[in-house]
Amino acid sequence: MARKNDSFYFDGFKQSADYACQAAHLLSEVMHHYEPDRLLERFDEMHRIEQAADEVRHGMMDELVTAFITPFDRDDIARLSSVLDDVTDRIEGALHRMYYDNVLEIRPDALDLVDMVERSCGKMAELIGELPRFKRSKTLREQVFFINKIEQDADRLFVEAMRRLHTTCTDPLRVLAWHEVYVHLELCTDDCEHVADVVDNIVMENS
């Protein structure tokens, strides 16, 4: 019974990470091949991914209420499920900002940021894939550090992009729109780092 319950949670975490990767890939595709007239259509695609991710989280929380045995502390399971879902929500939020603020063209440094988001999500998914072996994994903490490094690189790129925006763009509406987009892209990497930090805490508490 314990092995069956453990598998349910680990599979749920993996599904959540996979949905975040799908969302990141879609956002990257939208931005690299930007078509403002198709934003509403892509918005709907993104929302379907976000809803599927929500269903996974709700299913895990429903199971957690009645579960007798869990692979680690219930609060940690709930926390990890929540921060994984935050990643997909934040990625959707970045696309929302482009649609709401009527972004008509993509700035080159935004493509660098979205590439970091996609990379961070991919590494996060690898980390979650290693989680079932957290008590004997030789690479898990290295993966945590790697995600932290991506977030630090994204921070630096974010500062440079914001500086460039506010010193070279003279249209106040464009500045406002891109300010919000940049913030959301950077927060996507923050959210991946939050996932890594929660996993790291779980490992330390249960090793």
Side-chain angles (χ1 to χ4, degrees):
M1 180 65 72
R3 285 194 297 272
K4 181 179 179 181
N5 285 343
D6 287 0
S7 176
F8 173 83
Y9 294 110
F10 291 130
D11 287 349
F13 296 142
K14 183 179 184 302
Q15 284 182 302
S16 295
D18 287 346
Y19 281 127
C21 288
Q22 289 180 36
H25 179 71
L26 176 57
L27 181 62
S28 178
E29 181 183 304
V30 167
M31 293 178 66
H32 278 279
H33 308 282
Y34 200 62
E35 299 177 80
D37 292 342
R38 291 191 63 202
L39 273 184
L40 185 58
E41 173 189 339
R42 309 317 292 272
F43 183 97
D44 290 340
E45 290 179 46
M46 183 69 78
H47 191 59
R48 285 193 289 272
I49 295 172
E50 188 274 334
Q51 284 185 313
D54 277 348
E55 289 177 6
V56 171
R57 179 169 183 263
H58 294 157
M60 293 178 69
M61 294 304 96
D62 289 344
E63 178 68 20
L64 194 59
V65 170
T66 58
F68 180 66
I69 297 174
T70 58
F72 39 81
D73 187 81
R74 292 169 185 268
D75 288 342
D76 287 335
I77 291 173
R79 175 64 176 155
L80 181 54
S81 178
S82 177
V83 294
L84 280 165
D85 192 55
D86 287 345
V87 178
T88 304
D89 288 344
R90 187 81 69 181
I91 294 169
E92 183 184 35
L95 186 58
H96 284 182
R97 294 312 180 278
M98 294 180 210
Y99 178 68
Y100 294 161
D101 292 331
N102 193 33
V103 170
L104 298 178
E105 58 184 19
I106 296 296
R107 294 172 63 88
D109 45 20
L111 296 180
D112 294 333
L113 268 173
V114 77
D115 288 346
M116 285 192 172
V117 171
E118 191 170 20
R119 186 182 181 200
S120 188
C121 284
K123 291 299 180 182
M124 181 188 73
E126 291 179 15
L127 173 66
I128 294 300
E130 187 69 13
L131 188 57
R133 296 173 290 281
F134 72 94
K135 289 186 177 180
R136 60 184 185 278
S137 175
K138 303 295 185 183
T139 63
L140 196 147
R141 296 211 72 208
E142 292 178 6
Q143 292 171 321
V144 168
F145 297 149
F146 198 93
I147 293 169
N148 291 343
K149 177 64 165 55
I150 295 174
E151 191 277 333
Q152 292 169 7
D153 292 343
D155 275 349
R156 285 191 290 270
L157 183 57
F158 169 75
V159 170
E160 294 168 2
M162 290 289 277
R163 171 69 180 175
R164 195 174 299 114
L165 173 68
H166 285 273
T167 57
T168 64
C169 185
T170 57
D171 182 344
L173 292 179
R174 288 184 64 194
V175 170
L176 177 62
W178 274 105
H179 182 102
E180 291 195 339
V181 173
Y182 284 139
V183 166
H184 269 73
L185 289 172
E186 195 277 330
L187 287 173
C188 290
T189 61
D190 283 352
D191 287 337
C192 289
E193 184 182 41
H194 293 163
V195 171
D197 289 343
V198 170
V199 170
D200 199 29
N201 287 336
I202 288 170
V203 173
M204 289 189 293
E205 291 172 1
N206 292 273
S207 296

